[in-house]
Amino acid sequence: MKKRSIKIKGHATSITMEDEFWDALKTLAVKQSRPLAAIISEVDAARGTRNLSSALRVYVLKNI
């Protein structure tokens, strides 16, 4: 598991995910020609009450 700190809408947050999910998320960002931060912000906005790390894992699984 790797914890990373990022800024979303101007505030800092930490996301903890397995390396494999980080790698897959980076791969998706390249394939979509989008910054990783843009994908994370989009997932954050749409996640509802779900934990951000969990929402990102689901996003990866749905888009790989």
Side-chain angles (χ1 to χ4, degrees):
M1 298 277 264
K2 190 172 275 186
K3 183 182 251 185
R4 300 188 188 206
S5 295
I6 63 161
K7 281 192 176 186
I8 299 174
K9 297 180 185 173
H11 71 277
T13 190
S14 295
I15 302 170
T16 303
M17 291 192 304
E18 297 78 5
D19 288 337
E20 293 83 359
F21 280 103
W22 282 114
D23 293 342
L25 198 56
K26 289 179 202 171
T27 298
L28 286 170
V30 170
K31 284 182 181 178
Q32 296 175 12
S33 300
R34 297 175 61 199
L36 184 58
I39 293 173
I40 294 172
S41 291
E42 178 183 303
V43 171
D44 181 52
R47 70 186 167 103
T49 60
R50 181 182 289 167
N51 173 284
L52 180 55
S53 296
S54 297
L56 288 167
R57 287 184 188 98
V58 171
Y59 178 85
V60 167
L61 291 173
K62 286 183 174 181
N63 289 281
I64 278 288

